[in-house]
Amino acid sequence: MFADDDIDRELDVVHYAYANYLGSGIYRTTGQNASIINLPFAYDIDTEGKTTYGLRLPLSLGFFDFDFSDIPSVELPSEVGTATFTPGVALSYQYSENLAIETYLDYGYAKNFTSGFNVSVHSAGISSLYNFTFQNMDSIWATRLYYAAYHGNGFSVHDSYAAFQMGLDIGLPFKYQVLSYSFQPRIFTTAFWYFDDVELNSQKSLLDTGVSNVTLSNSMEFGVTLKFDNVIGYSWAGFDRLGLSYRFSDDFSAFRLLFSFPI
C-alpha cells in the first residue's frame, strides 16, 4: 500500500484524470477548492470525400489556488497542481447534408504535482450532430456515447465510467461585432446519463482517510456561448466559442467557462 507520508499528501480535489471529458473550461465543484482549465486543442489533417481525419490534443491544467473571484483582478495562480494530456485521433463523416457522425480514440497521461500520483488515461466515443433550422434559428441536436478510464502508474488503482449525453444548441438570429470579431449568441441545454457514478474524490478509496466522496450522477447543464465566425488564435490551438454554463446534479455543481462546442 502506501507509506505514512503518502497518506498525508493532499487529496485530489477534482479527479484530474477525467478533466478532458467532464467538460472544457474552468471547473469549481461544490465544497471543493480546485479549478481546472481545459484547452480543447485539435487539428484537422485531411478531408477525403465526406470523411475528415484529425488529431485531438486536449490539455487540462488544475489549480488549487485559483477561483472565479481572482478573474477581475487578473490574479494568476501561483502554480499548476495537476496536468492531463490525452492526445488522440478523430474521424468525422458527413452522412447527409444535415447529419454528421463523429468518433474518437484517446490515450494519454495525467499527473498530480501535489500528491506525486500519476495515471494513464484512455477514452473512446461516438457522436451524432444533426443541424436544422427552427423559426430562423440554426440549431444543432447532439447525442454522444463515450467511455473513459484510468490506471495508476506505480500503484494499484483503476476506475472507469461510461455516459450518454443529449443536448440542443440554438443560434439566435442575429450577430454582433466587437473590433474585428463577428460572433453569434447561442444558448444550449444538455443532459448526462452515467452508466456508473463518477467518483471525483478518488484518493479516499486509496488512502481511506474518511473524507467523503463527491459522486457525479445524472446531471443537467445549461448556458450561453458566443460563436465567432473565425478562430481566435492558431488553427490548432485557438477557439471559436466563448461562453458560461452551470452544471448540476444531486451532490455536484460546477460553473464552467467554455472554449468550444458545449455539447
Side-chain angles (χ1 to χ4, degrees):
M1 278 299 287
F2 295 88
D4 291 340
D5 60 339
D6 290 325
I7 298 178
D8 292 335
R9 291 173 179 173
E10 186 173 347
L11 296 175
D12 289 337
V13 181
V14 175
H15 204 291
Y16 56 99
Y18 293 145
N20 287 332
Y21 309 108
L22 292 179
S24 60
I26 297 178
Y27 251 85
R28 179 72 162 86
T29 57
T30 302
Q32 307 289 346
N33 301 317
S35 298
I36 290 180
I37 297 178
N38 175 252
L39 305 172
F41 299 148
Y43 178 72
D44 288 339
I45 298 175
D46 193 16
T47 298
E48 296 182 5
K50 296 183 177 182
T51 304
T52 299
Y53 305 90
L55 293 177
R56 289 164 48 90
L57 303 167
L59 172 67
S60 291
L61 303 176
F63 306 96
F64 295 111
D65 59 349
F66 183 70
D67 203 348
F68 282 107
S69 61
D70 297 323
I71 294 177
S73 62
V74 198
E75 183 177 344
L76 298 177
S78 60
E79 61 180 355
V80 175
T82 68
T84 304
F85 181 55
T86 54
V89 293
L91 183 150
S92 177
Y93 178 71
Q94 194 68 38
Y95 182 80
S96 66
E97 182 179 356
N98 296 333
L99 178 63
I101 306 297
E102 300 178 344
T103 187
Y104 76 89
L105 178 65
D106 293 346
Y107 187 86
Y109 179 82
K111 183 175 181 62
N112 186 323
F113 297 103
T114 303
S115 68
F117 295 124
N118 58 80
V119 296
S120 297
V121 186
H122 66 273
S123 178
I126 186 169
S127 309
S128 68
L129 302 175
Y130 182 75
N131 293 267
F132 65 98
T133 300
F134 175 73
Q135 295 185 350
N136 295 323
M137 294 183 290
D138 61 296
S139 306
I140 303 174
W141 179 262
T143 58
R144 302 188 186 276
L145 180 65
Y146 61 96
Y147 162 89
Y150 66 85
H151 295 267
N153 296 323
F155 62 105
S156 179
V157 63
H158 61 86
D159 193 17
S160 64
Y161 81 97
F164 177 73
Q165 180 184 3
M166 181 181 297
L168 179 64
D169 179 65
I170 300 174
L172 303 183
F174 45 81
K175 286 189 176 183
Y176 295 102
Q177 183 164 331
V178 176
L179 300 177
S180 60
Y181 299 105
S182 177
F183 62 87
Q184 176 194 35
R186 302 183 69 91
I187 58 176
F188 78 92
T189 183
T190 184
F192 302 81
W193 291 270
Y194 296 94
F195 296 97
D196 297 300
D197 289 343
V198 184
E199 301 292 344
L200 297 182
N201 203 352
S202 66
Q203 297 239 11
K204 174 183 179 295
S205 60
L206 296 179
L207 306 181
D208 195 20
T209 61
V211 178
S212 298
N213 275 358
V214 176
T215 301
L216 178 57
S217 56
N218 299 338
S219 57
M220 293 287 298
E221 182 174 353
F222 59 89
V224 177
T225 65
L226 305 179
K227 186 179 186 302
F228 295 92
D229 290 345
N230 300 307
V231 174
I232 298 176
Y234 298 104
S235 60
W236 64 273
F239 62 91
D240 63 356
R241 294 241 189 177
L242 183 63
L244 289 170
S245 71
Y246 178 69
R247 184 184 296 185
F248 61 94
S249 62
D250 290 340
D251 58 355
F252 171 90
S253 64
F255 290 96
R256 300 207 293 141
L257 177 61
L258 307 167
F259 298 103
S260 62
F261 181 60
I263 302 174

